[in-house]
Amino acid sequence: MKRAAEFAAAMDASGMFKNKGGFEEVRPGYLRLFRTGELERRAVALETILEACELCPRRCGVNRKAGRIGACGVGARPKIAAASIHPWEEPPLSGTRGSGTLFFSGCTLRCLFCQNYPISQLGVGRELTVEALAEEMFRLQCRGAHNLNLVTPTHQVPAFVRALCLAVPMGFRLPIVYNTSGYERVEILRLLDGIVDVYLPDIKYADPAVSLALSGRADYVEANRRALKVMAEQVGPLQLDRQGIAFRGLMVRHMVLPEGLAGTGDCLEFIRSQLGPQTWVSLLHQYFPAHKALNRPPLDRKVTEKEYSDALGILFSLGLPNGFVQEADGG
């Protein structure tokens, strides 16, 4: 596993990442789909789903095209809270120029401890047209972003793909990063095959009872693990270009929770056995009490240094060498 400083040390003076497999640069897959007309067909298919929405495993069936609001808290029009250059993702995503992030409003989960709850659950954000969304995407490219990072996009995929159809003729060429809670439907991921270049999903829990209590969905574990397998099949392990920037592949995030509530050992074992030991893992030590967790022990405290160290021990014992860990802060 690499910390940020170790990642920098693995690059030579010209910024070339020392990848045993050699260097490879490819163009985003959606460009081919655009040329063949397949991207337009996918956009139409996704927009049709909005008539009785089944984008996420909730399958609430709401006609969002008729102006109704889904269980996610959003209608048919795109709604974003921010479009910005983000320098604090994992190094293969942020690189030297930052990741171009679109923070989508709303969410398919209701996590008690969500650190972005004003955006995910309180509806903070602004509605815009798909044309304006395409312009925001292109603007992030013009600002030098390494990629387009879709943060919590699951419930707004139709608007994004339609905007992508409009952005490509503008000259948009950035790799697409799909930054998700991991609560996904396989059927929708199939429609994203070839559109998404880098999947960045969470694996939050191992126990359905915990996922129900903390995120409001008992089916999270089953849906999440099915989705992770499909993502791995589509893009394989993370691949880096000549500057050490991810252009394709899968990196799975797991945030350690107090008193082992996340089921870290089981989650990491799933990654090793079902996705492969070469899978990149980002083991997060950034939990802090937020939203409704402030009065819910043990969620009302940070993860201790020992709890995170124990998680590190599991990670290393399972032989998962690729990815990133964070320094413990003794909290």
Side-chain angles (χ1 to χ4, degrees), residues 248-270:
R248 183 176 174 83
L250 170 70
M251 183 191 298
V252 183
R253 284 174 168 170
H254 176 75
M255 185 164 70
V256 180
L257 294 179
E259 293 190 9
L261 282 173
T264 297
D266 187 274
C267 290
L268 296 179
E269 169 58 29
F270 171 83

Side-chain angles (χ1 to χ4, degrees), residues 8-55:
M11 301 173 70
D12 66 19
S14 66
M16 302 281 280
F17 188 78
K18 298 172 184 176
N19 186 330
K20 292 181 180 179
F23 304 125
E24 185 177 359
E25 296 181 81
V26 298
R27 304 182 74 189
Y30 61 79
L31 296 178
R32 178 183 57 81
L33 299 182
F34 179 83
R35 289 194 302 270
T36 63
E38 179 61 20
L39 190 63
E40 171 65 23
R41 288 189 284 274
R42 303 275 187 91
V44 171
L46 288 163
E47 289 166 339
T48 300
I49 292 172
L50 287 174
E51 295 174 1
C53 192
E54 295 185 341
L55 289 174

Side-chain angles (χ1 to χ4, degrees), residues 236-299:
L238 206 66
Q239 299 178 57
L240 310 177
D241 68 13
R242 296 174 69 87
Q243 285 74 47
I245 306 301
F247 64 85
R248 183 176 174 83
L250 170 70
M251 183 191 298
V252 183
R253 284 174 168 170
H254 176 75
M255 185 164 70
V256 180
L257 294 179
E259 293 190 9
L261 282 173
T264 297
D266 187 274
C267 290
L268 296 179
E269 169 58 29
F270 171 83
I271 292 173
R272 187 198 65 79
S273 63
Q274 300 299 313
L275 307 183
Q278 77 285 355
T279 304
W280 287 59
V281 178
S282 183
L283 190 68
L284 303 178
H285 182 28
Q286 59 192 47
Y287 175 81
F288 64 85
H291 194 29
K292 298 179 180 179
L294 295 170
N295 300 309
R296 291 286 297 267
L299 294 174

